Amino acid sequence: MAPGNVPYLLVLLLCTIGLDASSKEDRKYLVNSRLEVNVKSLLAEVCGTNSSLLSIGVKSLSNEYSDRTVENLCGNATTEVLLWIPVGNFGNLAEVGSSSRYLGKGAGDEDFADYCSYDVTTKSCTTDSGTVDGSILLLAEKFPERYELRDLVFKKWKNTTHLGSPILAYATLKNREQGYKYVDQDISYLADTRIEYVLPSSVSHGIPLSVYRGKTETYKLVAGETYYSRSFKTINAIRYMSPYTTINITVIGSEGRDYREFRAKLVTVYTDEEGYGWSKSLSSIEAAVIETKLTETHVEYAPPVNLYDTKLPVLTPMLPSINEDNSIVDKGLPPAKGIVAKPENIHIHITELDIGQAYPGFRNFAIAAAILVFSVLGIAIIDIIRRVVANRRAKRLHLGKYSRT
């Protein structure tokens, strides 16, 4: 094994071990967990104004979301999955948790069990009437791992707004040859696309979102964030140009924003672990998509400019001049004329009688007419020859009008 590959293999091995450990940790949390079926009843009991449970925490099962208080849970939209998990599944909450107290209840008769405050230091769960004995269950939130949008059905109407005309690229066409008449060039430019899905408030922001068209995943983005994409595109610029001229060209686009509503099925995936009825949920939603992109591109041409002045600089002869003291002073040559670029309007020079270029369809028409005329003439000549031969044969054999009977 090459020595340079050792660090790479170590990093790969550590990553694999880390992912496997994380997966085992998730499975450990969910052992013997129980789903809270009546969430509204739970919130009605713990969210009272005089409740002593508002300041304690609710355990989060996601690394992306920290533990929050019962008061925050009552005041904000909650997830669909609230689980009661044995306190032993979390290990030492004093080190793992971010709160000193969590909402819990006894694992006995769940229908009549009182909610208690679990202290991570003393590992006891207390109520107003005393300490709860036996096994303790803690309330935990299971946030979605990802969303899937499927079976999108768009409405017929679409609201389009024109945003502007950005400049995408610059280029120059140059005709350096006497024989060239048309000059073309492929111009590359960047086309940006921005897509934003406006989803219901029940969809949590910051969670991966996959958009499917049939069974194909077309977009993979994050809920609540704008999806950006950039691609290279090419447009062809062609122009009639006089010899030794140049034209500056500009690629200009038209940017528009489309707003379109749709109906779809939202699949909320809470976990890929099998054996849990709450691992996935399916709901029908109405949402919208905002797409900003280039709707059209075109090329604009500046007036043509000569590459250089075709007239050569005129050199005056070297003439001495006599001053007042009768001394000869050599003035030398005047400064040579520099290269001057001058603009000219777009024009077409036809320097020779080129009917094929002036009338592109005339040549084809002339060829077809010639073929038709010569075909008719040939048929007529053949018919005349056929008649002469037939008459001579009839005369020799005394047939027809040449018969003697």
Side-chain angles (χ1 to χ4, degrees):
M1 181 184 296
N5 294 334
V6 175
Y8 172 76
L9 293 176
L10 289 176
V11 172
L12 183 62
L13 180 62
L14 290 175
C15 292
T16 305
I17 295 175
L19 290 174
D20 186 55
S22 177
S23 177
K24 290 181 179 179
E25 192 73 15
D26 292 341
R27 287 196 294 269
K28 182 188 71 173
Y29 286 153
L30 299 177
V31 173
N32 296 326
S33 61
R34 305 175 188 178
L35 177 66
E36 175 58 53
V37 179
N38 197 342
V39 177
K40 292 183 178 179
S41 177
L42 167 66
L43 297 180
E45 293 185 43
V46 300
C47 295
T49 307
N50 298 325
S51 175
S52 59
L53 304 174
L54 295 178
S55 60
I56 62 178
V58 177
K59 189 72 179 73
S60 173
L61 298 180
S62 175
N63 294 329
E64 288 77 15
Y65 295 89
S66 60
D67 302 340
R68 58 176 175 171
T69 62
V70 174
E71 184 178 8
N72 186 275
L73 177 68
C74 297
N76 297 279
T78 181
T79 59
E80 295 180 1
V81 174
L82 292 176
L83 301 173
W84 292 102
I85 298 178
V87 66
N89 293 3
F90 296 105
N92 189 358
L93 272 176
E95 298 178 357
V96 178
S98 59
S99 178
S100 60
R101 290 179 175 271
Y102 289 97
L103 179 63
K105 70 176 181 178
D109 191 353
E110 295 186 19
D111 295 334
F112 300 97
D114 292 332
Y115 299 111
C116 58
S117 174
Y118 180 80
D119 193 322
V120 297
T121 304
T122 61
K123 298 182 180 180
S124 61
C125 200
T126 58
T127 63
D128 295 338
S129 56
T131 303
V132 178
D133 298 328
S135 300
I136 303 298
L137 302 176
L138 297 185
L139 184 65
E141 289 184 280
K142 181 61 178 176
F143 290 90
E145 292 184 0
R146 67 179 184 274
Y147 293 110
E148 297 176 359
L149 271 181
R150 297 180 179 269
D151 300 338
L152 277 72
V153 179
F154 289 92
K155 294 185 177 180
K156 294 182 179 180
W157 64 270
K158 179 172 61 175
N159 186 5
T160 302
T161 304
H162 178 69
L163 299 180
S165 301
I167 297 176
L168 304 176
Y170 295 100
T172 303
L173 295 179
K174 294 182 179 180
N175 187 3
R176 301 179 183 272
E177 301 294 336
Q178 179 70 32
Y180 289 169
K181 297 180 180 179
Y182 289 92
V183 178
D184 72 317
Q185 181 179 342
D186 290 332
I187 306 169
S188 299
Y189 62 92
L190 288 173
D192 294 338
T193 301
R194 300 185 296 276
I195 300 176
E196 180 183 358
Y197 283 87
V198 183
L199 302 173
S201 59
S202 58
V203 177
S204 301
H205 290 186
I207 295 177
L209 171 67
S210 298
V211 182
Y212 286 84
R213 182 169 296 175
K215 294 184 178 181
T216 305
E217 185 181 28
T218 55
Y219 296 107
K220 191 170 185 180
L221 53 148
V222 178
E225 298 182 6
T226 303
Y227 171 81
Y228 292 91
S229 68
R230 172 172 288 184
S231 61
F232 277 98
K233 292 189 176 182
T234 304
I235 190 172
N236 182 264
I238 184 170
R239 197 70 168 176
Y240 181 93
M241 297 180 63
S242 301
Y244 312 117
T245 58
T246 178
I247 296 177
N248 292 327
I249 57 179
T250 307
V251 180
I252 297 179
S254 179
E255 192 176 39
R257 176 179 295 163
D258 296 336
Y259 177 88
R260 198 172 185 184
E261 296 181 351
F262 63 89
R263 291 179 288 107
K265 293 180 180 178
L266 178 66
V267 181
T268 306
V269 181
Y270 290 96
T271 181
D272 289 324
E273 296 291 333
E274 298 180 356
Y276 301 99
W278 47 264
S279 60
K280 290 185 179 180
S281 67
L282 178 64
S283 60
S284 297
I285 63 170
E286 291 187 357
V289 59
I290 302 174
E291 185 176 6
T292 305
K293 61 181 180 180
L294 291 175
T295 58
E296 181 266 343
T297 55
H298 66 277
V299 179
E300 293 188 358
Y301 301 88
V305 178
N306 282 359
L307 283 173
Y308 44 80
D309 193 347
T310 56
K311 296 181 180 179
L312 296 177
V314 180
L315 301 179
T316 59
M318 185 182 299
L319 298 176
S321 61
I322 302 175
N323 59 9
E324 296 177 354
D325 298 333
N326 295 326
S327 60
I328 299 177
V329 179
D330 187 5
K331 289 187 176 181
L333 292 176
K337 185 187 295 185
I339 297 176
V340 180
K342 60 179 181 179
E344 63 176 8
N345 296 326
I346 299 175
H347 57 281
I348 299 175
H349 296 290
I350 301 179
T351 57
E352 59 184 5
L353 186 59
D354 191 355
I355 300 299
Q357 181 181 356
Y359 305 98
F362 180 78
R363 176 176 297 177
N364 297 334
F365 176 78
I367 293 174
I371 293 174
L372 180 62
V373 170
F374 284 107
S375 298
V376 173
L377 182 61
I379 294 173
I381 294 174
I382 292 174
D383 185 66
I384 292 172
I385 295 174
R386 184 185 62 81
R387 288 176 181 271
V388 170
V389 173
N391 287 338
R392 288 184 178 182
R393 182 174 179 274
K395 186 176 182 179
R396 187 178 68 253
L397 299 177
H398 304 287
L399 300 176
K401 63 180 181 179
Y402 299 104
S403 177
R404 295 178 180 178
T405 57

